[in-house]
């Protein structure tokens, strides 16, 4: 959600076609536009207020997404299909090779201590059942979770684009009420977990199959990283007032126990898979909590 990085990613493209929702969202503020110079923005949305709300569009369309796309497909001049397929196949092979290298790197990092966020994400995703539902509000882990999680059906991954904290724990309850035949994994940072932890009581009261996963770096890392980028002098002094959550440290296992939920604390990435499996087998019809200790943002 950084404007300059969005622009850098998109600058190779002549046309950018946005389907639904808002065009882009940069969080927090950064001075550059996410739209690269020389690119045309095309926007199709069911919401007339969303089209051209923030960025000028060369073409704007309002209508049902699926029906509109079906109509538009008929008017597109398709390139040579054999050349397109060769391009797709080459991309797929390149992605496969890159993933093999990435997987080797992540596996090699499993013994490291403290656990890096991306290593924790890798160990967690590798242990998920295929039909698991993921509710993601873990700022230190979100990017790596998205990179590693291979969703297999609609509604498997839930995320709030707004940037506000505190929604995931109660949302996981609502999602689980409608999906009691699957286990819902609610991912949250230690700071985000303190906004609405009382949702765990409802999960216990209703015997919902939810595993709450708290990635704990004992700080508001996302705010520290923002200040490091915006005010580098703060990072050099490590001067972050009110952003450490360690005096006193929060005992998430005790918090879970007070809500009637069993829990486990993990500080070894190789044990994350066992913790996930245990949360499923021992509490198949009820909630549990896994606290994973990860490295603070300054060490990543």
């Amino acid at each position: 959600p950084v404007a300059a990085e969005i622009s850098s990613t998109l600058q190779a493209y002549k046309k950018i076609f946005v389907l639904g929702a808002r065009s882009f969202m940069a969080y927090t503020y950064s001075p550059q536009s996410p739209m690269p110079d020389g690119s045309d923005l095309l926007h199709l949305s069911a919401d007339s207020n969303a089209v051209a709300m923030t960025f000028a569009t060369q073409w704007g369309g309002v209508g049902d997404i699926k029906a509109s796309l079906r109509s538009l497909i008929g008017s597109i001049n398709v390139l040579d299909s054999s050349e397109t397929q060769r391009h797709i196949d080459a991309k797929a092979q390149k992605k496969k090779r890159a993933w093999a290298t990435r997987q080797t790197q992540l596996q090699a990092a499993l013994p490291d201590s403290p656990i890096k966020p991306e290593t924790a994400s890798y160990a967690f995703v590798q242990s998920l059942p295929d039909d698991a539902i993921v509710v993601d509000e873990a700022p230190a882990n979100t990017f790596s979770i998205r990179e590693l999680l291979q969703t297999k059906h609609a509604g498997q991954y839930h995320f709030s684009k707004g940037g506000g904290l505190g929604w995931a724990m109660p949302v996981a309850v609502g999602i689980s009420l409608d999906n009691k035949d699957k286990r819902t994994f609610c991912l949250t940072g230690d700071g985000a977990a303190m906004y609405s932890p009382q949702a765990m009581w409802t999960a216990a009261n209703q015997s919902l199959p939810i595993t709450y996963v708290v990635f704990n770096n004992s700080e508001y890392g996302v705010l520290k990283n923002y200040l490091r980028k915006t005010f580098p002098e703060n990072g050099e002094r490590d001067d972050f007032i009110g952003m450490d959550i360690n005096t006193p440290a929060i005992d998430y296992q005790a918090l879970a126990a007070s809500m009637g939920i069993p829990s486990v604390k993990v500080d070894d990435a190789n044990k994350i898979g066992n913790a996930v499996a245990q949360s499923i087998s021992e509490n198949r019809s009820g909630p549990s909590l896994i606290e994973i200790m990860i490295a603070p943002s300054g060490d990543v």
Side-chain angles (χ1 to χ4, degrees), residues 16 97 119:
I16 300 163
R97 290 191 297 269
T119 308

Side-chain angles (χ1 to χ4, degrees), residues 53-261:
M53 181 178 71
T54 308
F55 302 99
T57 58
Q58 312 317 121
W59 178 88
V62 178
D64 177 80
I65 300 293
K66 185 179 290 187
S68 299
L69 286 177
R70 284 175 175 162
S71 178
L72 286 169
I73 284 172
S75 63
I76 293 175
N77 295 321
V78 181
L79 300 175
D80 176 64
S81 59
S82 59
E83 179 63 26
T84 301
Q85 190 60 50
R86 283 193 293 272
H87 181 72
I88 291 172
D89 292 343
K91 280 280 192 181
Q93 288 301 315
K94 183 178 180 180
K95 186 176 181 180
K96 186 176 181 180
R97 290 191 297 269
W99 168 239
T101 301
R102 178 77 167 129
Q103 193 169 25
T104 299
Q105 294 171 341
L106 291 165
Q107 287 176 332
L110 287 173
D112 293 353
S113 180
I115 308 171
K116 292 181 179 178
E118 63 178 18
T119 308
S121 297
Y122 174 71
F124 168 75
V125 168
Q126 292 294 105
S127 63
L128 280 179
D130 287 343
D131 63 349
I133 297 173
V134 174
V135 180
D136 182 5
E137 190 184 35
N141 294 74
T142 287
F143 291 126
S144 52
I145 289 290
R146 288 182 179 183
E147 174 198 7
L148 300 167
L149 183 66
Q150 299 296 312
T151 55
K152 295 179 173 62
H153 58 80
Q156 190 170 8
Y157 178 81
H158 301 265
F159 178 81
S160 172
K161 71 174 185 177
L165 298 178
W167 61 274
M169 283 186 153
V171 162
V173 169
I175 290 172
S176 184
L177 282 168
D178 196 40
N179 295 273
K180 289 187 177 181
D181 59 327
K182 303 179 180 67
R183 179 152 287 266
T184 297
F185 289 83
C186 177
L187 316 183
T188 178
D190 53 313
M194 292 309 296
Y195 282 80
S196 48
Q198 65 271 26
M200 291 192 292
W201 183 91
T202 305
N205 177 263
Q206 297 294 314
S207 298
L208 297 176
I210 301 173
T211 298
Y212 288 99
V213 183
V214 179
F215 292 101
N216 188 352
N217 56 10
S218 301
E219 64 177 14
Y220 281 103
V222 66
L223 295 181
K224 285 188 176 183
N225 285 334
Y226 167 70
L227 289 176
R228 287 186 179 105
K229 289 182 178 180
T230 310
F231 307 101
E233 64 274 14
N234 287 65
E236 293 172 2
R237 299 196 308 265
D238 200 30
D239 184 14
F240 304 104
I241 298 171
M243 297 184 191
D244 292 299
I245 312 174
N246 54 17
T247 310
I250 298 166
D251 188 338
Y252 287 95
Q253 287 190 278
L255 181 62
S258 74
M259 306 280 183
I261 293 180

Side-chain angles (χ1 to χ4, degrees), residues 22-42:
R22 290 170 55 185
S23 303
F24 308 100
M25 191 191 77
Y27 180 85
T28 54
Y29 170 77
S30 49
Q32 184 173 335
S33 170
M35 272 297 297
D37 292 336
S39 297
D40 291 338
L41 178 63
L42 319 175

Side-chain angles (χ1 to χ4, degrees), residues 38-52:
S39 297
D40 291 338
L41 178 63
L42 319 175
H43 192 176
L44 171 64
S45 175
D47 180 4
S48 61
N49 293 317
V51 178

